[in-house]
Amino acid sequence: MSDQDYRIEHDSMGELRVPAQALYGAQTQRAVENFPISGLTMPREFIRALGLIKATAAETNADLGLLDHDIAAAIAVAARAVASGEYDEHFPVDVFQTGSGTSSNMNANEVIAHLASEELASAVHPNDHVNMGQSSNDVIPTAIHVSAALACHETLLPALDHLAGTIETRAKELRGVTTTGRTHLMDAMPVSLGQELGGWAAQVRNGAARLRDSLARVCALAQGGTAVGTGINAHPDFGAGVARRLADETKVPFRAADDYFEALSAQDAAVELSGQLRTVAVSLMKIANDLRWMNSGPLAGLGEIALPALQPGSSIMPGKVNPVIPESVAMVAAQVMGNDATVGVAGQSGNFQLNVMLPVIAHNVLQSVTLLANASRALADDAVAGFTVNEDKLDDALSRNPILVTALNAVIGYEKGAAIAKRAYQEGRPVREVAAEMTDLSEAELERLLDPQALTHGGLPGKG
């Protein structure tokens, strides 16, 4: 860098060149130089959480009589500007940094101190003022919980509700359409498309309920534990005050952790949340694959539905259209499952009083939340909402389904039913036709007993 491109900053380790236009200082610059690992920086949601924590911490310290009100006000204004995303380009630290996330905490402290100093026209110190009553060891676990909770409440849960609602709307539309059920990918008893889609909606609703249950624990914050959980250098009421202010500002029920030693040394709540995100991913994978199978063909596959045609499907085969949205969703699900494996390994790295894989936990949990939210909306709007049903194909398969003979078990017995099914399959004939030849049941009785729509209601059709 030329003399005009940098300025000299210093920290406890000495002087260092920092880009002239950078709002951060020496400790952030050391991290930039030490960790040229991935090019991945901390997620936007995480930077937002850091800003909110620093603003509420300053205001809480002012309330407690520990920080000058003018300094606290300047810090709060600067920190909320950071939270809003105005200064994201000044947060260059790689995800794969020091395991405590100290570099990201100091990045926030330095940027906010720089902005607050300009506002006040007097020095605001990144450690003494912005980081008052705090340690990276409680700030970063708090930022993980705050960012994850906000992302779930604001993006993922609404997206899952939208997906479930879209599926439920289609389920009502299609409740009178009967299709061949399948177990082991083999023909089984009939179900309505409404019932099939209802199962998908229940998966999504249950996944959201699991997330809400986990978020009750994610809302417990480490702030106030400082370096090792004892709360050294923080006012006894500081942690509860920060949590209360965060709750008031975000409308999410944050609270101080019951045990700061657990909150600093373990990331069990984040691991639990990641596991529930994986469960949602498993549900989306199942739904996406069902849609792909139902759409397959259109001639050599099932061809029961047609997904919206969104783009050409091949660079060499004209006219080919692929199920691109379910494929995208399936890849998202695979990524989330991999992220969960990383979070699980990282969660084991709580050595004594501190977990030392905090940044990678934040990155993976927040990426999973974002991916699932976006994938859920795409699946709802670009696949579920617009697919059409090939009812002729469904009816043809139902008429030739030998498994329909199951409905006669209560009348003719299993053995006789098996013989009818085998013959119907071998001869490629409707089961009703074969049953008429092999039993003394009348046409009217067979029509009633083997009505596919009636069979979707369960019970004992032979006794009806």
Side-chain angles (χ1 to χ4, degrees):
M1 291 184 286
S2 70
D3 289 346
Q4 289 75 34
D5 292 333
Y6 71 87
R7 66 182 191 272
I8 300 297
E9 292 275 355
H10 76 278
D11 59 13
S12 61
M13 296 184 69
E15 292 186 343
L16 195 68
R17 290 183 175 186
V18 175
Q21 301 305 313
L23 298 180
Y24 52 79
Q27 292 201 45
T28 302
Q29 183 61 32
R30 290 190 193 281
V32 170
E33 296 176 7
N34 287 338
F35 307 113
I37 307 298
S38 69
L40 297 170
T41 55
M42 296 304 290
R44 160 95 282 276
E45 300 93 337
F46 186 83
I47 303 305
R48 176 193 179 192
L50 279 177
L52 292 175
I53 292 164
K54 297 300 176 180
T56 54
E59 290 167 342
T60 300
N61 278 323
D63 289 345
L64 295 170
L66 302 175
L67 184 62
D68 177 83
H69 281 275
D70 289 341
I71 293 176
I75 290 172
V77 169
R80 288 194 173 89
V82 165
S84 72
E86 292 182 39
Y87 299 102
D88 282 358
E89 69 271 23
H90 296 279
F91 287 82
V93 179
D94 202 275
V95 166
F96 299 95
Q97 53 171 288
T98 174
S100 63
T102 296
S103 298
S104 286
N105 183 41
M106 285 307 305
N107 190 173
N109 290 335
E110 289 176 342
V111 169
I112 293 166
H114 189 121
L115 293 170
S117 295
E118 289 184 343
E119 173 69 20
L120 282 179
S122 63
V124 174
H125 197 278
N127 296 83
D128 296 338
H129 297 138
V130 183
N131 201 59
M132 177 182 283
Q134 303 154 62
S135 164
S136 299
N137 298 353
D138 61 354
V139 168
I140 301 302
T142 298
I144 292 173
H145 281 214
V146 170
S147 58
L150 290 176
C152 285
H153 279 289
E154 295 174 357
T155 62
L156 180 53
L157 289 172
L160 292 176
D161 183 65
H162 176 65
L163 174 58
T166 302
I167 296 172
E168 287 161 352
T169 296
R170 294 306 311 273
K172 289 178 183 177
E173 295 172 4
L174 300 171
R175 59 191 170 193
V177 178
T178 306
T179 185
T180 301
R182 293 181 182 88
T183 58
H184 303 268
L185 292 180
M186 304 298 287
D187 297 344
M189 290 298 289
V191 297
S192 74
L193 280 181
Q195 290 169 329
E196 192 162 23
L197 269 66
W200 300 349
Q203 283 188 278
V204 177
R205 295 285 186 203
N206 287 336
R210 293 184 184 100
L211 285 171
R212 289 188 182 93
D213 185 61
S214 294
L215 286 172
R217 285 168 286 285
V218 172
C219 286
L221 305 181
Q223 204 66 57
T226 68
V228 293
T230 61
I232 186 71
N233 288 350
H235 190 284
D237 297 329
F238 175 72
V242 170
R244 185 166 53 253
R245 281 185 172 273
L246 285 169
D248 290 342
E249 186 160 341
T250 64
K251 309 308 178 188
V252 173
F254 294 115
R255 66 185 190 283
D258 294 332
D259 189 301
Y260 285 139
F261 299 100
E262 187 268 350
L264 269 64
S265 65
Q267 279 293 300
D268 293 352
V271 171
E272 178 190 3
L273 178 64
S274 179
Q276 300 298 11
L277 295 170
R278 179 191 178 103
T279 302
V280 172
V282 168
S283 297
L284 296 189
M285 179 81 86
K286 185 264 194 287
I287 295 167
N289 282 332
D290 280 356
L291 286 166
R292 291 174 62 233
W293 275 103
M294 294 162 72
N295 180 77
S296 61
L299 300 179
L302 296 181
E304 294 178 345
I305 67 170
L307 290 165
L310 300 178
Q311 63 186 62
S314 174
S315 62
I316 191 172
M317 293 176 281
K320 192 170 186 290
V321 178
N322 296 331
V324 293
I325 296 300
E327 288 173 353
S328 173
V329 171
M331 286 190 284
V332 163
Q335 182 66 51
V336 171
M337 293 174 197
N339 288 352
D340 179 57
T342 298
V343 173
V345 172
Q348 299 173 57
S349 297
N351 307 126
F352 299 107
Q353 277 69 60
L354 183 68
N355 182 288
V356 290
M357 288 197 183
L358 298 176
V360 81
I361 290 173
H363 169 73
N364 281 277
V365 168
L366 292 172
Q367 185 186 70
S368 292
V369 171
T370 298
L371 289 175
L372 290 173
N374 292 340
S376 295
R377 290 193 178 276
L379 188 63
D381 297 339
D382 298 326
V384 174
F387 74 75
T388 56
V389 179
N390 186 348
E391 294 195 44
D392 290 341
K393 193 76 172 278
L394 298 182
D395 292 343
D396 181 60
L398 279 169
S399 69
R400 294 182 291 107
N401 181 5
I403 306 302
L404 290 177
V405 78
T406 302
L408 304 182
N409 282 357
V411 179
I412 63 175
Y414 184 93
E415 297 294 336
K416 187 72 169 180
I420 293 171
K422 289 177 182 178
R423 182 176 166 188
Y425 178 75
Q426 290 168 355
E427 298 178 3
R429 297 165 61 196
V431 70
R432 184 184 301 176
E433 186 178 305
V434 175
E437 296 175 4
M438 296 181 64
T439 72
D440 57 1
L441 295 171
S442 68
E443 285 290 335
E445 287 177 296
L446 287 171
E447 183 175 353
R448 176 178 64 82
L449 293 171
L450 298 175
D451 176 21
Q453 179 65 32
L455 294 177
T456 64
H457 302 306
L460 291 168
K463 302 298 184 182

